[in-house]
Amino acid sequence: MTEAILTLANVESAYGPIKAIRGVSLVVTEGQIVTVLGSNGAGKTTILKTISGIIDPRKGSISFRGEDITAREPSEVVRLGLSHVPEGREVFPLLSVHDNLLMGAYTRKDRDGVARDMETVFGYFPILRERARIDAGLLSGGQQQMLAIARAILAGPALILLDEPSLGLSPKLTKEIFEIVVRINRERGTTILLVEQNANMALNVADHGYVLENGRIVMEDRCSVLREKDDIKEFYLGMK
Ligand code: ATP
């Protein structure tokens, strides 16, 4: 269980003249929850978009399950077993909850597996079963976050990229969502790369963490070690 499922080597991405990430190297070990911490604008979302093929990197390389996926199309990356839950959920508002979930499975041919995964996500998020026929746009923010995670599971991924799942949610709902994220990791063996501004929550659930500042990784360690560092306590956990 110490094999890398995802490796970024010296990746640079930019929006026109704005360099958002500047030579990021990181490794995600199979079976783990790995988190990238960083303040607003540090480049966290850009890292995830670059991995899933939404943005092409200017430099560097990305490999997933031993394959070079640098600048591959997002649909190809999904087929290789990587699902992205974007910031702001991005569910299809005019489709029902059930149809949103089926959209997650569009690359799959194994109907039995899809049916099984549908049951699994309804087990994780019973409210989605209750609201299966309702338009996704009518769900609350928390329920849309649940739907976005559930839809990612329906793709049958080995790795889920999770962008700010706590955004706009109450502390109680955030805790519930993170409990499910941990269960997905432990029960299904799905590897998770989690981007979060809620450092306290992220450091509690993740095994390994990277700290990103101005597009560069400035620190990396096991989360149990990061939690005890003075800089982390002061800048990310709000402790003196
Ligand atoms: P947040 O928590 O606010 O989402 P982040 O750490 O995810 O922050 P990014 O969204 O990756 O950061 O942004 C990194 C940098 O790139 C920021 O300076 C941001 O202003 C810039 N940026 C992001 N998206 C665009 C865009 N579409 N066009 C131009 N600049 C962008």
Side-chain angles (χ1 to χ4, degrees):
M1 291 286 268
T2 53
E3 218 167 289
I5 189 167
L6 178 79
T7 306
L8 272 67
N10 222 2
V11 173
E12 275 188 32
S13 292
Y15 302 95
I18 303 164
K19 279 192 183 172
I21 54 172
R22 306 154 181 261
V24 165
S25 296
L26 63 82
V27 172
V28 175
T29 301
E30 189 158 13
Q32 288 198 338
I33 300 180
V34 174
T35 187
V36 177
L37 304 176
S39 52
N40 236 323
K44 305 181 297 298
T45 295
T46 305
I47 291 182
L48 297 194
K49 285 183 171 172
T50 308
I51 296 168
S52 63
I54 299 167
I55 298 174
D56 287 346
R58 296 260 170 103
K59 284 189 188 160
S61 65
I62 304 171
S63 78
F64 174 60
R65 294 175 129 178
E67 282 209 44
D68 186 349
I69 61 159
T70 318
R72 288 261 190 112
E73 286 299 313
S75 57
E76 264 187 84
V77 176
V78 172
R79 278 194 184 82
L80 291 172
L82 196 154
S83 287
H84 186 170
V85 181
E87 190 173 4
R89 305 35 145 169
E90 294 179 20
V91 298
F92 302 105
L94 299 178
L95 291 185
S96 70
V97 167
H98 184 258
D99 288 351
N100 265 271
L101 291 171
L102 285 182
M103 292 294 277
Y106 81 100
T107 58
R108 294 175 65 178
K109 304 253 184 300
D110 58 325
R111 284 165 167 250
D112 291 353
V114 171
R116 254 196 321 275
D117 285 347
M118 192 71 90
E119 278 308 305
T120 303
V121 299
F122 285 148
Y124 288 145
F125 304 114
I127 189 75
L128 296 183
R129 191 198 300 272
E130 281 171 36
R131 313 205 77 184
R133 301 281 151 216
I134 288 174
D135 284 358
L138 298 174
L139 298 179
S140 69
Q143 290 164 1
Q144 289 191 12
Q145 184 63 67
M146 293 173 191
L147 177 57
I149 294 172
R151 187 178 58 186
I153 293 174
L154 260 296
L159 172 66
I160 295 180
L161 309 179
L162 201 46
D163 196 347
E164 300 267 3
S166 73
L167 198 73
L169 303 188
S170 68
K172 181 171 175 283
L173 211 45
T174 300
K175 192 163 166 280
E176 273 176 44
I177 298 257
F178 273 98
E179 279 167 7
I180 299 296
V181 168
V182 170
R183 282 183 61 193
I184 293 165
N185 171 253
R186 303 286 189 270
E187 293 171 10
R188 297 176 64 83
T190 311
T191 309
I192 292 169
L193 178 57
L194 165 72
V195 151
E196 253 304 334
Q197 274 194 53
N198 185 336
N200 195 18
M201 201 48 106
L203 288 173
N204 273 327
V205 301
D207 303 289
H208 202 87
Y210 290 85
V211 180
L212 189 70
E213 283 176 9
N214 293 319
R216 288 195 176 87
I217 303 284
V218 294
M219 212 184 283
E220 173 214 343
D221 219 318
R222 291 205 315 279
C223 291
S224 55
V225 175
L226 287 177
R227 271 199 300 270
E228 299 307 320
K229 289 195 185 278
D230 286 343
D231 282 0
I232 299 284
K233 282 185 180 167
E234 189 174 344
F235 296 116
Y236 293 96
L237 300 175
M239 299 150 82
K240 265 276 170 137

